[in-house]
Amino acid sequence: MKALIVVDMLNDFVTGSLKCDRAQRIIPHIRKLIDSFHKHKLPVIFANDSHLDTDFEMHRWGAHAIEGTEGAEVIPELTPQDDDIIVGKHVYSSFFETPLDSILRSRNVKEVILTGLHTHLCVRHTAADAFFRGYKIIVPEDGVDSFTVEDHESGLAYLKEYYGATLSDASTILKKLPK
Ligand code: ZN
């Protein structure tokens, strides 16, 4: 079983306090993946920063994606449906001290498709924890991005080299879903 994981596609990361212009590029590709996963009744999981203002990360990045604020909501283009799963996180990794691993295991998920922001940061740390837990990792190059092309490309190279991630693109992933 495959699951689609959408990391930090939140107002603060796309248009807000940690705005990333390059995020615009990936929105339509993630949208297509979400729609197709819905159609195939495969799990769609949003892993969202949901910070307290006392979280350790605030010292590094300042206030962002504070739980309950508009900045912490998924961008309107990708608004989750009722059946989607939302996991709130407090650090870069979507697994760290969240129920994500048990959510995946209870659905017999073996393969995770990682999308969202940032290739070299939260996606990378999520991939690390997925790798440590034995998941196969697929990353669409047009479904993840970073503040800069350098961070994006070095992030992809790291995912491939150290976590054995398969680099792909959204349309290839869609073609491989069961008919
Ligand atoms: Zn954060």
Side-chain angles (χ1 to χ4, degrees):
M1 172 80 93
K2 297 175 200 234
L4 178 67
I5 302 184
V6 182
V7 179
D8 281 341
M9 288 300 285
L10 311 179
N11 290 321
D12 267 353
F13 286 100
V14 177
T15 53
S17 59
L18 294 175
K19 180 178 198 277
C20 172
D21 288 330
R22 291 175 53 82
Q24 296 299 327
R25 180 185 78 95
I26 63 176
I27 294 170
H29 304 292
I30 299 176
R31 179 74 258 169
K32 266 196 275 179
L33 285 164
I34 291 172
D35 290 343
S36 195
F37 271 64
H38 284 156
K39 211 176 96 194
H40 287 87
K41 307 227 178 302
L42 293 167
V44 175
I45 299 162
F46 289 84
N48 297 342
D49 257 7
S50 182
H51 282 301
L52 302 173
D53 58 13
T54 46
D55 282 354
F56 300 121
E57 232 186 61
M58 298 299 114
H59 301 294
R60 171 64 185 86
W61 297 100
H64 64 277
I66 300 293
E67 183 182 11
T69 66
E70 200 184 329
E73 284 172 21
V74 172
I75 57 169
E77 295 92 327
L78 302 179
T79 301
Q81 289 188 359
D82 287 349
D83 287 348
D84 294 340
I85 299 155
I86 299 191
V87 172
K89 65 189 185 67
H90 291 263
V91 293
Y92 303 151
S93 171
S94 308
F95 285 88
F96 186 76
E97 294 177 351
T98 76
L100 180 57
D101 188 40
S102 55
I103 287 168
L104 295 173
R105 282 188 290 115
S106 64
R107 287 163 177 75
N108 202 29
V109 171
K110 306 286 185 206
E111 194 173 319
V112 290
I113 287 88
L114 299 183
T115 63
L117 298 168
H118 287 231
T119 315
H120 69 301
L121 196 53
C122 291
V123 172
R124 171 173 155 177
H125 285 80
T126 297
D129 275 331
F131 176 71
F132 301 153
R133 288 165 177 79
Y135 294 100
K136 182 169 162 48
I137 300 162
I138 315 283
V139 180
E141 298 181 62
D142 54 2
V144 292
D145 220 322
S146 297
F147 289 121
T148 66
V149 67
E150 292 80 14
D151 281 343
H152 173 62
E153 285 177 356
S154 67
L156 288 174
Y158 194 98
L159 296 172
K160 183 176 178 194
E161 177 76 14
Y162 297 103
Y163 308 138
T166 301
L167 303 183
S168 185
D169 58 71
S171 52
T172 305
I173 291 168
L174 293 182
K175 276 186 215 137
K176 288 186 178 162
L177 292 179
K179 288 280 174 291

